Amino acid sequence: MKTKPFLFGLTAGIVGGTIAVLFSTPQSGQQLRANLRSNAESTKDKLLDVKQQVGTVKQSVNSLTNEIKNNIPLIINDLKETITTFTEEIEPSKNNLQQEIEALQNSINEIEKNVAQFTENKKKPQEKISD
């Protein structure tokens, strides 16, 4: 949202509302002028408050944007370093696990081979007895 159109719209709304209220209420000319001055001052004060708040928000957004621009690259570099360090630290464990998995696979293959030989040997004597 741009500041100038917002402030212009806010001002026009406040002035229009003030004029509508002032002309729709019955009062003397002197009272009308006093009310107009009072409302004009009140409106001016409100507009200054809005302007100050918009300025504060704008400064906060600029400050936050600068913080993000400065800190994001640092955070990304820290993450990259952490990931690299983690990868280097787990490499030996990874290699050991791969070797252990291969050894377990070899053991399983041997057990399967021995079980197959054992079942074949057990079947052969029974075949001879039944002949």
Side-chain angles (χ1 to χ4, degrees):
M1 179 188 314
K2 297 197 177 190
T3 307
K4 285 184 182 181
F6 173 74
L7 290 177
F8 180 73
L10 183 65
T11 304
I14 290 173
V15 169
T18 303
I19 289 172
V21 167
L22 290 176
F23 287 122
S24 66
T25 58
Q27 52 187 296
S28 69
Q30 189 176 16
Q31 285 178 330
L32 180 62
R33 285 188 293 275
N35 283 341
L36 281 174
R37 275 188 233 110
S38 172
N39 287 336
E41 289 175 15
S42 173
T43 302
K44 188 176 179 182
D45 291 340
K46 289 177 184 176
L47 286 175
L48 286 174
D49 286 343
V50 168
K51 186 176 179 181
Q52 288 174 348
Q53 290 175 359
V54 167
T56 302
V57 169
K58 191 174 181 180
Q59 283 179 334
S60 296
V61 167
N62 287 338
S63 174
L64 182 62
T65 303
N66 288 335
E67 291 265 339
I68 289 172
K69 284 179 183 177
N70 292 335
N71 289 334
I72 293 264
L74 296 174
I75 292 170
I76 290 172
N77 285 337
D78 286 348
L79 281 173
K80 284 180 181 179
E81 288 175 12
T82 302
I83 290 171
T84 302
T85 303
F86 176 74
T87 305
E88 290 171 356
E89 288 176 356
I90 66 165
E91 190 65 32
S93 298
K94 178 182 160 189
N95 291 336
N96 289 340
L97 284 173
Q98 285 176 339
Q99 290 172 355
E100 288 178 16
I101 290 171
E102 288 175 10
L104 285 173
Q105 189 65 40
N106 290 337
S107 297
I108 290 171
N109 289 339
E110 278 186 47
I111 291 171
E112 286 175 346
K113 191 160 81 172
N114 290 338
V115 167
Q117 287 176 352
F118 179 73
T119 54
E120 283 180 23
N121 289 340
K122 205 167 190 181
K123 285 182 184 179
K124 285 183 183 178
Q126 289 175 354
E127 289 175 359
K128 289 180 182 178
I129 295 174
S130 59
D131 284 341

